[in-house]
């Protein structure tokens, strides 16, 4: 549109003025198609994650409790015999765990990590192989 206006003016000084305005305005706006960088070329992509963590593919009650740690893995046999299924452990409430004789701190840890697991925020890590 501004180019049409510039062509209408007969005066060369006015036309050069309009061309300068058009150039400065065009350079001040961002390009219409953003340039995307490859994921590996961004400087912050490798800053915090130097190695990829490996997670257990199939998670059961023993893997879940050993992933929590802090002595919770001592209740594996009790929970497997009473609940039997990992999905039941994920929806178990604190009163059921209390009736099974699990101490308060361990109940809190189990329920906290079960909630995180359901939301997809936490998974038990695979044990690194030591040679």
């Amino acid at each position: 549109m501004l180019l049409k206006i510039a062509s209408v003016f007969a005066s060369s000084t006015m036309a050069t003025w309009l061309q300068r305005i058009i150039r400065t305005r065009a350079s001040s706006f961002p390009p219409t198609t953003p340039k995307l960088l490859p994921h590996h070329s961004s400087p912050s992509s490798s800053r915090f994650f130097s190695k990829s963590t490996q997670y257990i593919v199939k998670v059961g009650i023993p893997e879940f409790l050993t992933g929590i740690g802090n002595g919770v893995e001592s209740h594996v046999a009790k929970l497997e015999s009473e609940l039997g299924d990992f999905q039941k452990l994920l929806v178990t409430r604190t009163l059921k765990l209390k009736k099974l004789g699990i101490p308060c701190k361990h109940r809190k840890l189990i329920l906290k990590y079960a909630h995180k697991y359901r939301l997809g925020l936490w998974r038990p890590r695979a044990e690194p192989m030591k040679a």
Side-chain angles (χ1 to χ4, degrees):
M1 182 173 151
L2 292 175
L3 290 175
K4 289 181 183 179
I5 295 171
S7 64
V8 171
F9 290 107
S11 143
S12 65
T13 57
M14 193 63 119
T16 56
W17 249 74
L18 283 174
Q19 287 174 355
R20 286 184 185 172
I21 292 172
I22 291 170
R23 268 189 249 133
T24 57
R25 283 191 180 175
S27 65
S28 65
F29 289 117
T32 55
T33 57
K35 294 181 180 179
L36 299 176
L37 296 173
H39 180 68
H40 64 276
S41 68
S42 67
S44 65
S45 66
S46 65
R47 184 181 311 171
F48 298 111
F49 305 108
S50 60
K51 295 180 182 177
S52 64
T53 55
Q54 296 193 358
Y55 298 103
I56 300 173
V57 177
K58 183 185 178 300
V59 178
I61 293 176
E63 294 86 10
F64 183 76
L65 295 180
T66 54
I68 294 173
N70 295 330
V72 179
E73 60 271 1
S74 62
H75 306 291
V76 170
K78 195 183 309 180
L79 288 173
E80 279 191 323
S81 66
E82 292 294 324
L83 299 176
D85 189 21
F86 177 62
Q87 295 302 319
K88 288 182 184 176
L89 176 65
L90 291 178
V91 295
T92 301
R93 300 189 180 223
T94 186
L95 193 60
K96 175 77 172 169
L97 295 175
K98 187 175 184 178
K99 287 180 182 177
L100 293 175
I102 298 173
C104 181
K105 283 189 176 186
H106 292 176
R107 288 196 307 265
K108 279 183 172 182
L109 286 170
I110 291 170
L111 294 172
K112 176 177 128 179
Y113 283 98
H115 182 68
K116 285 183 177 187
Y117 185 86
R118 281 194 311 263
L119 294 177
L121 299 175
W122 179 82
R123 287 185 60 88
R125 290 186 181 174
E127 298 290 333
M129 298 286 290
K130 293 184 179 179

